[in-house]
Amino acid sequence: MEEQQSPFQAAIKPGLTIGLVSLALTFIAYFIDSSLLGSAWFGLVAIVLFFVLIIYFGKQYRSELGGFMTFGTAFNFSFVTMVISGLVGVIGQLLLFHVVDPALPGVLADQAFETQLSFMEKIGQDPDALDPAMLEEMRASSSKGFTLSGQLMGFGFSLIVYAIIALILGAILKKRDKSLDY
């Protein structure tokens, strides 16, 4: 009889796969038009693809377990998959932002700053009425997210988001054996 993998072991391959797919999409978008990396729809497509792939791999793992999986197993599988995928993504983004195109973080930070200003206008606030020091602080905070420390800190905050998403995915992927209820 074949030995079953733990959720941690089973999550390694899907995590690497999802991370590499995410990284490939990032580089494809970069080569098409680097401004795509800062667009909302690109982020939305990436999140949907992320969910779909985790559910797909989670269902495969559940099948390997005999068609049933507890919430805890599903949570662990989902969380570890996302952490591995996130690590691959961070490493790839560090390479993109600091080796391939060191000017890209500045372009994306400017794009994020402009997006913030246009959002302020949409909700009725005039950005020109803001204190110039506050505008400069907004610009600096936009740039900070693309630094090495900013990306590592962002990954740390992502762990909290990954845990919340893993709770949702755990609820979706779990399936109990009702024949054991009797």
Side-chain angles (χ1 to χ4, degrees), residues 1-158:
M1 186 173 161
E2 199 175 302
E3 188 176 318
Q4 292 179 346
Q5 293 180 324
S6 73
F8 302 102
Q9 294 168 327
I12 293 171
K13 186 177 176 185
L16 290 172
T17 302
I18 294 169
L20 291 173
V21 166
S22 168
L23 200 55
L25 283 176
T26 300
F27 276 89
I28 289 169
Y30 167 73
F31 289 123
I32 291 173
D33 180 7
S34 62
S35 67
L36 290 174
L37 296 174
S39 69
W41 73 266
F42 180 77
L44 183 64
V45 167
I47 289 171
V48 168
L49 183 64
F50 194 67
F51 267 99
V52 168
L53 287 173
I54 291 174
I55 290 171
Y56 171 76
F57 287 119
K59 286 185 176 183
Q60 274 188 332
Y61 179 55
R62 184 174 69 196
S63 294
E64 290 173 17
L65 294 176
F68 302 104
M69 186 163 46
T70 65
F71 174 79
T73 301
F75 170 80
N76 288 336
F77 174 83
S78 300
F79 184 71
V80 173
T81 299
M82 285 187 278
V83 169
I84 292 170
S85 172
L87 284 172
V88 170
V90 165
I91 291 167
Q93 286 180 358
L94 288 172
L95 286 173
L96 178 61
F97 294 156
H98 301 286
V99 177
V100 175
D101 189 354
L104 183 61
V107 171
L108 294 177
D110 288 343
Q111 185 179 355
F113 179 69
E114 293 299 324
T115 302
Q116 287 176 332
L117 293 180
S118 68
F119 178 75
M120 290 171 70
E121 289 174 352
K122 285 181 185 177
I123 61 171
Q125 187 172 9
D126 182 17
D128 295 331
L130 290 175
D131 180 29
M134 184 175 201
L135 287 173
E136 192 54 40
E137 175 63 32
M138 286 173 58
R139 183 180 296 278
S141 69
S142 294
S143 297
K144 187 178 177 183
F146 296 103
T147 64
L148 176 63
S149 63
Q151 287 183 308
L152 294 176
M153 192 168 24
F155 180 72
F157 288 123
S158 294

